[in-house]
Amino acid sequence: MMETNVTDTFFDALVIGAGFSGLYQLHRLRDDLGLSTLVIEKGSGVGGTWFWNRYPGARCDSESQGYAYFFSRELHEKWQWTERYPAHTEIRKYLNYVADSLNLKKDIMFDTKVSACRFFDDDKIWQVRIEDGRVFYAKWLISAVGCLSAANVPEIPGLASFKGDCYHTGKWPKEGVDFSGVRVGQIGTGSTGIQVASEIAKTCKHLTVFQRTANYSIPARNTVWDNTYADWVRNHYEELKALVRSTPNGHPFRISGNLAMEVSEEERNDMFEAAWAKGGLRFRGVFSDLLTSEKSNEAAANFIKSKIRQKVTDPDKAEILSDIDHPYAAKRPPIDTNYFETFNRENVSLVNLKADPIKEIIPGGISLKSGDVRDLDVIIFATGFDAMTGPLLSLDIEGSCLSLKEYWAEGPRNYLGLAIPGFPNLFTITGPGSPSVLSNMPVSIEQHVDWITDCIKYCVSGGYMRIEAEEHAAQNWTEHVRSTAEATLLAKVKHSWYLGANIPGKPRVFTPYAGGLVTYRKICNSIVRDGYKGFLLDQKTTQGPKMTFDFEAPNVTNLGV
Ligand code: NAP
């Protein structure tokens, strides 16, 4: 456990969370603006989502050369990733390296959970209460809690009766889990389940995968970097920085300008084959219209389904795994290392929950509607998160009039994903309505943190005590987020966590911004140029209620997905 001696109660700024967002925000506010800043972090170390996601096989789907900060050449040049995709252990090492290099840990209070945040309008100050009852105050409150930090364990009848151990992948024990000789049941086949199954199958006695919705997955083709490539990355800081800031999704590769239906079938298949051989999220970039044209998407979907059928030797399993009901990449597209091949192992079985749903969990395993019982010693929930709004709502935030829970009763509403009407001086890094999960996160995070820092600097230097998003601006932005998603196949999937559909009772609102990072950055910059259009500064409106966004409509080249 990290020691932080916090004796003060009043700060200029409080930041909640010490992942990629919180660390960079602390650095900018403390070291560039000279503000007294405290970060409050639930975990006992830095890492944010990567502090908790330690399940076997946990590895980022973004490529290492782009999954990093780009604000400092020195940090870039003194660090070396070792593989094409960074493993969770290496990401924590990297974030510790950054935190130590910038001497950040002394201003982070670890092992501390926020229980409530209240805004006092008379004093224009935020009060943050932590679980032991202590309170801290600050003029500026910044949420850096991430999008995927509130674990979702479905309420399956009988769960409490299970005699074995249960784990959620997003809250994995630090000391790890030994699966040798154990019968494991895994519920969930999203990006996480697809990573974890192939690793656990190698060591456990038997793995039963309970699949509700079949999923696409592209081979990741992870490799260890050789020294030549590592040197190239170290020596190409400016080029990489410019690249990730110029691509619509913040990844370090370009999306092709080709349309899938504008080439012959033979050419199309050759291009899919080449992209499949390259592997990873780059597959999506082979054509620019996979998320805007149903026909193009169907071609990609059929290609992947045929690959699944080739990989899986048991025809029944192959059928269940390739019976996918949604367009490719309209749900978050996973990438894998031998996921489908894992079902060829003798110690791996597959249960199709679409045909035979779970009836209940019993002391010795899982019982299905058909009466079939699977005996288990361990259940792994790879069942995802109450994404995007969940982590924010868990902070019990109360603004000048309403609680966030009340204000968002019908779904998230905010301005640029950054600020919420009625919640002055609060900023949300990668909040709902920002590109966040549809982009390479560190690149989105840097843009948000820089924007927030500039905004706070503007308020401090202008003598403004209070800044608040205007209601009409939030309404317009929320409508823009919705209509942007509607222009793509993303909105065609009704059962996706992008929409909140994985959480019973959660309002169905398409939450991330699908207009792409480049477009989004332009919009954010234009709002600054226009004197923080859409914000109230010290109660004075900065413009009239009519508002449109100066952006290009989503098209094949600016889609950030
Ligand atoms: P997820 O995509 O929400 O997948 C959850 C899985 O659990 C789905 O297969 C879902 O089935 C299943 N499930 C949920 N409740 C269930 C129930 N009651 N009964 C049976 N099955 C149930 O969650 P995730 O895989 O953790 O991924 C979440 C996100 O985290 C990803 O989309 C990605 O953005 C991020 N992530 C990133 C990486 C990376 O970069 N390497 C790795 C992992 C995760 P349905 O589809 O039928 O609901």
Side-chain angles (χ1 to χ4, degrees):
M1 177 156 127
M2 210 87 55
E3 279 297 317
T4 314
N5 289 323
V6 178
T7 50
D8 293 340
T9 305
F10 290 89
F11 293 85
D12 293 321
L14 287 168
V15 177
I16 306 172
F20 268 97
S21 310
L23 293 180
Y24 183 43
Q25 187 66 79
L26 168 61
H27 170 58
R28 292 284 342 253
L29 294 178
R30 186 193 71 181
D31 302 333
D32 292 343
L33 299 195
L35 300 184
S36 62
T37 306
L38 175 70
V39 177
I40 301 174
E41 166 57 52
K42 192 165 59 170
S44 57
V46 301
T49 201
W50 295 108
F51 180 84
W52 304 99
N53 279 271
R54 298 165 184 250
Y55 57 86
R59 182 182 290 282
C60 187
D61 289 348
S62 296
E63 295 181 10
S64 298
Q65 73 276 21
Y67 199 72
Y69 295 115
F70 282 95
F71 65 85
S72 159
R73 174 191 284 271
E74 195 184 345
L75 282 177
H76 175 90
E77 289 179 348
K78 288 190 175 156
W79 175 258
Q80 184 171 319
W81 297 104
T82 62
E83 295 178 82
R84 178 172 174 184
Y85 306 95
H88 65 102
T89 42
E90 195 163 56
I91 300 171
R92 280 195 301 279
K93 229 191 236 177
Y94 171 74
L95 289 173
N96 273 289
Y97 151 76
V98 172
D100 292 335
S101 304
L102 301 173
N103 197 16
L104 297 177
K105 289 178 186 166
K106 72 183 180 64
D107 293 308
I108 305 173
M109 195 162 61
F110 292 99
D111 295 301
T112 306
K113 197 165 175 238
V114 167
S115 57
C117 308
R118 302 276 175 272
F119 184 70
F120 295 104
D121 221 341
D122 289 346
D123 300 315
K124 298 178 183 46
I125 201 154
W126 278 98
Q127 180 200 66
V128 173
R129 183 175 295 277
I130 61 172
E131 260 188 350
D132 69 8
R134 275 183 294 162
V135 290
F136 299 92
Y137 295 90
K139 171 153 288 306
W140 311 104
L141 177 62
I142 295 110
S143 154
V145 291
C147 302
L148 300 165
S149 54
N152 165 45
V153 178
E155 285 176 19
I156 299 175
L159 173 57
S161 73
F162 185 59
K163 288 256 171 61
D165 295 324
C166 290
Y167 302 97
H168 187 282
T169 45
K171 287 194 203 155
W172 203 257
K174 240 176 143 178
E175 59 284 5
V177 182
D178 180 7
F179 289 107
S180 43
V182 165
R183 296 162 305 175
V184 181
Q186 177 191 313
I187 303 177
T189 53
S191 301
T192 302
I194 280 175
Q195 286 187 330
V196 81
S198 37
E199 281 304 307
I200 285 179
K202 289 181 197 162
T203 60
C204 71
K205 184 175 174 194
H206 193 92
L207 172 68
T208 305
V209 176
F210 295 85
Q211 174 194 284
R212 191 163 66 183
T213 306
N215 221 334
Y216 301 96
S217 184
I218 308 296
R221 306 208 190 281
N222 188 35
T223 47
V224 173
W225 279 9
D226 61 22
N227 286 339
T228 314
Y229 187 62
D231 286 345
W232 184 90
V233 168
R234 227 193 337 269
N235 295 328
H236 286 78
Y237 165 71
E238 290 297 346
E239 289 89 332
L240 281 167
K241 177 168 137 181
L243 180 61
V244 295
R245 290 183 182 182
S246 65
T247 55
N249 47 25
H251 285 291
F253 51 83
R254 301 256 172 235
I255 292 174
S256 140
N258 293 319
L259 304 178
M261 291 300 138
E262 279 189 358
V263 296
S264 70
E265 191 179 346
E266 199 186 341
E267 279 175 296
R268 190 162 54 243
N269 276 333
D270 287 349
M271 289 162 90
F272 279 140
E273 284 291 357
W276 183 263
K278 226 182 254 172
L281 295 177
R282 287 174 190 253
F283 184 86
R284 282 180 309 180
V286 60
F287 293 110
S288 56
D289 59 344
L290 294 186
L291 272 164
T292 48
S293 155
E294 286 189 31
K295 255 186 124 178
S296 300
N297 192 289
E298 201 182 318
N302 287 338
F303 176 85
I304 303 168
K305 287 176 189 177
S306 76
K307 287 289 184 192
I308 298 171
R309 287 192 286 266
Q310 282 166 29
K311 282 174 185 240
V312 182
T313 50
D314 175 334
D316 292 339
K317 284 181 180 171
E319 180 51 36
I320 296 167
L321 289 163
S322 62
D323 184 18
I324 308 172
D325 64 1
H326 52 275
Y328 166 63
K331 282 173 127 179
R332 164 67 155 75
I335 66 173
D336 70 277
T337 301
N338 296 329
Y339 173 65
F340 295 111
E341 293 83 343
T342 295
F343 292 93
N344 297 335
R345 296 177 66 108
E346 289 202 344
N347 69 334
V348 177
S349 22
L350 175 65
V351 172
N352 179 8
L353 296 180
K354 281 263 155 77
D356 193 2
I358 293 175
K359 179 174 165 236
E360 60 182 339
I361 295 177
I362 54 174
I366 291 182
S367 142
L368 303 171
K369 281 263 157 65
S370 64
D372 187 5
V373 169
R374 300 301 170 116
D375 297 327
L376 303 169
D377 305 304
V378 168
I379 300 176
I380 294 175
F381 288 94
T383 43
F385 302 89
D386 180 356
M388 307 203 65
T389 53
L392 284 164
L393 290 170
S394 76
L395 298 175
D396 185 13
I397 303 176
E398 209 171 286
S400 39
C401 303
L402 292 176
S403 69
L404 190 58
K405 204 171 167 195
E406 289 165 321
Y407 186 66
W408 280 359
E410 285 167 24
R413 190 158 85 248
N414 66 14
Y415 189 31
L416 304 171
L418 276 163
I420 311 164
F423 298 81
N425 299 0
L426 166 70
F427 298 98
T428 52
I429 305 173
T430 64
S434 72
S436 64
V437 293
L438 296 181
S439 69
N440 179 27
M441 289 299 269
V443 181
S444 276
I445 286 167
E446 275 194 350
Q447 185 269 342
H448 260 197
V449 169
D450 288 340
W451 193 97
I452 291 165
T453 307
D454 288 348
C455 179
I456 291 176
K457 187 176 172 191
Y458 178 85
C459 292
V460 171
S461 58
Y464 298 112
M465 301 295 285
R466 189 183 191 281
I467 185 165
E468 177 184 355
E470 295 194 74
E471 181 59 37
H472 71 91
Q475 277 177 15
N476 286 327
W477 181 253
T478 305
E479 171 51 26
H480 174 55
V481 171
R482 191 199 61 75
S483 60
T484 306
E486 287 290 332
T488 74
L489 301 180
L490 290 164
K492 297 260 182 261
V493 181
K494 296 298 166 220
H495 187 76
S496 135
W497 64 257
Y498 291 156
L499 259 180
N502 62 330
I503 304 295
K506 189 166 172 173
R508 303 291 187 260
V509 173
F510 191 90
T511 310
Y513 177 56
L517 212 41
V518 175
T519 304
Y520 177 77
R521 191 187 295 270
K522 273 190 204 156
I523 295 172
C524 289
N525 291 347
S526 75
I527 279 155
V528 176
R529 271 198 311 276
D530 291 346
Y532 289 93
K533 181 170 78 172
F535 284 92
L536 283 166
L537 283 157
D538 277 356
Q539 313 284 12
K540 282 200 291 286
T541 181
T542 51
Q543 66 130 51
K546 270 205 128 204
M547 186 160 196
T548 53
F549 298 103
D550 186 17
F551 67 97
E552 294 157 43
N555 61 31
V556 289
T557 51
N558 71 5
L559 255 188
V561 287

